[in-house]
Amino acid sequence: MEVSRIILKRKIQEFVSKLLKEYELYAPVKENDLINFSAINTNSEIAYDYYNSTKPPKQILFTQSETLFKFKLGRKSAEIEMPENSKKEKIILGIRPCDAKSFSLLDKVFDNEYKDNYYLTKRRSTILIGLSCPNPKATCFCTSLGSTPFSKENLDLLLTDIGESYYVEIVTERGAKTIKVADELFSKPTKKEEEKRAEAQVEAEKKIVRHLSINKIPDQLENIYDATIWESIGEKCIGCGICAYLCPTCHCFDINDELSASRTKGARIRTWDYCTHQIYTLQTSGFNPRPTQKYRVRNRIYHKFKYLHDNFNILGCVGCGRCIEHCPVNIDVTEILSKINSVSVEK
């Protein structure tokens, strides 16, 4: 369905107040100098005018540290206590289109042969209200990944700032149901407002300065596994993992049991992990099949641009640019991809 509406900015507070009565609401919030997604209780907490959050909102559905269950141990038995899920539906309000696109990959990973019900339960009860991206950063390259700052992929509603109003595109039935809680606040757009929305998209796409040819990357990687470029790329990486922790598509995790001092009760905890850490593939014997950063960085690139492509016909990157912006040693994934494209392949 493709229907559009208009809501005045001075009415958005009333809309949010009505949503809060029906849903758990998460939105971009300023925390010191950072913008991140948090549960909110009032409209005044929401940072509508922002570039992008430091951490992607995937953390709401795939939590950085999550208790899978608690347990009590008897001499010959064990009791399991599962976590309670909220009965309210969730709304992630203000998510950028690149971050919404990341759920296309996460859905395939967690809803595959093995069903991750911790993620899937939350995903199915979550409505995504996007906020189009009028000012992409210099590190953004979503258009090279087949998207745009105004993409509606995975969204239920998309809001675009057109001055005194938001232009609201209703993408799904769930989106239509969501605005019905405050139907009286919305009106049909005028021709002028439609033109403003279209102009905003054109201007936003002009601001993207990084343009890459991605289509041949998976095939090129097929032939350059032992190429010398991995030495120089690996030498620069310090294995801090910030690229993985801030990536909206990374999904590696570790699981540990935390026991009480009496060792009679505890909890099974899932936490994010990252593949460029030196102990990620370290085996109990002491052998490490990826002994240096060369091997770990190569695996990261192959996972995102080769293995996921071959297994799911999707790439593990949405072009948000967080890994470029926050890497402490200025590793730039677009430079790596350009190098991959330029390597001569002997046949």
Side-chain angles (χ1 to χ4, degrees):
M1 62 185 302
E2 282 289 340
V3 182
S4 300
R5 291 287 185 270
I6 292 290
I7 182 170
L8 293 168
K9 284 184 178 176
R10 57 185 169 81
K11 296 286 187 182
I12 202 77
Q13 178 176 346
E14 196 173 338
F15 177 47
V16 170
S17 296
K18 293 197 173 186
L19 291 178
L20 281 166
K21 293 178 181 176
E22 305 282 337
Y23 303 94
E24 283 182 22
L25 201 52
Y26 296 81
V29 172
K30 190 171 184 179
E31 301 170 338
N32 299 318
D33 292 329
L34 303 178
I35 298 289
N36 281 309
F37 279 76
S38 298
I40 60 114
N41 295 307
T42 65
N43 179 65
S44 61
E45 297 173 64
I46 302 175
Y48 288 98
D49 186 15
Y50 78 111
Y51 285 99
N52 207 353
S53 57
T54 303
K55 290 195 289 186
K58 76 171 182 186
Q59 62 173 326
I60 298 165
L61 308 185
F62 174 46
T63 315
Q64 186 165 353
S65 180
E66 181 172 21
T67 299
L68 302 181
F69 57 83
K70 295 179 180 178
F71 55 83
K72 292 180 182 177
L73 301 174
R75 286 191 174 183
K76 294 183 179 180
S77 62
E79 293 179 25
I80 301 292
E81 179 187 341
M82 300 300 292
E84 286 189 14
N85 292 313
S86 171
K87 293 177 181 176
K88 272 189 169 182
E89 285 186 288
K90 295 180 178 61
I91 287 179
I92 301 177
L93 171 65
I95 185 173
R96 293 300 190 199
C98 56
D99 287 334
K101 180 182 172 70
S102 73
F103 290 117
S104 292
L105 171 69
L106 297 176
D107 290 351
K108 287 179 183 290
V109 170
F110 290 124
D111 192 11
N112 195 21
E113 184 177 358
Y114 173 77
K115 309 291 183 189
D116 188 312
N117 288 321
Y118 295 95
Y119 169 85
L120 293 175
T121 299
K122 286 180 276 190
R123 176 75 174 97
R124 289 167 183 156
S125 63
T126 300
I127 295 163
L128 300 182
I129 301 181
L131 191 59
S132 56
C133 182
N135 295 302
K137 287 188 173 183
T139 47
C140 294
F141 56 104
C142 67
T143 51
S144 296
L145 278 303
S147 190
T148 78
F150 284 61
S151 169
K152 295 187 278 289
E153 184 172 342
N154 294 326
L155 293 173
D156 297 293
L157 297 173
L158 175 62
L159 277 58
T160 298
D161 186 340
I162 58 168
E164 295 182 351
S165 308
Y166 287 107
Y167 189 96
V168 183
E169 293 169 82
I170 304 170
V171 187
T172 67
E173 293 289 347
R174 295 179 84 190
K177 178 187 169 188
T178 304
I179 68 167
K180 276 192 176 178
V181 302
D183 207 28
E184 70 282 3
L185 301 177
F186 294 84
S187 60
K188 290 183 179 179
T190 63
K191 184 72 175 175
K192 183 69 175 175
E193 288 164 335
E194 289 176 351
E195 290 173 355
K196 281 186 178 180
R197 187 265 178 229
E199 288 167 4
Q201 179 167 354
V202 171
E203 290 304 312
E205 291 180 6
K206 283 181 182 175
K207 294 174 185 174
I208 294 180
V209 295
R210 292 171 184 259
H211 302 282
L212 296 168
S213 176
I214 299 288
N215 292 342
K216 294 181 180 178
I217 293 288
D219 289 340
Q220 183 76 341
L221 287 172
E222 182 77 33
N223 300 302
I224 64 166
Y225 192 75
D226 295 317
T228 55
I229 62 167
W230 304 115
E231 291 284 356
S232 58
I233 295 170
E235 283 175 357
K236 199 170 179 181
C237 178
I238 59 174
C240 69
I242 195 168
C243 53
Y245 284 135
L246 300 185
C247 176
T249 68
C250 277
H251 49 270
C252 290
F253 59 83
D254 196 6
I255 293 177
N256 290 287
D257 286 349
E258 293 185 356
L259 288 169
S260 64
S262 65
R263 303 182 72 80
T264 58
K265 60 183 180 181
R268 182 155 295 178
I269 310 292
R270 170 163 74 176
T271 52
W272 290 356
D273 202 352
Y274 65 98
C275 60
T276 53
H277 193 278
Q278 60 182 342
I279 67 169
Y280 183 80
T281 51
L282 181 63
Q283 299 175 5
T284 309
S285 66
F287 173 70
N288 194 334
R290 297 181 199 139
T292 67
Q293 288 310 108
K294 164 193 167 183
Y295 298 93
R296 297 165 199 146
V297 172
R298 181 177 66 182
N299 175 73
R300 177 173 170 78
I301 296 297
Y302 268 74
H303 189 200
K304 287 189 166 296
F305 297 97
K306 175 64 176 167
Y307 304 144
L308 287 170
H309 173 270
D310 292 351
N311 289 328
F312 298 118
N313 195 29
I314 194 169
L315 297 177
C317 177
V318 295
C320 70
R322 288 184 177 91
C323 59
I324 303 170
E325 181 181 357
H326 296 283
C327 178
V329 293
N330 298 319
I331 291 177
D332 183 334
V333 69
T334 63
E335 290 180 2
I336 294 174
L337 295 173
S338 295
K339 284 183 180 178
I340 291 169
N341 271 331
S342 65
V343 174
S344 298
V345 178
E346 293 184 8
K347 296 185 178 179

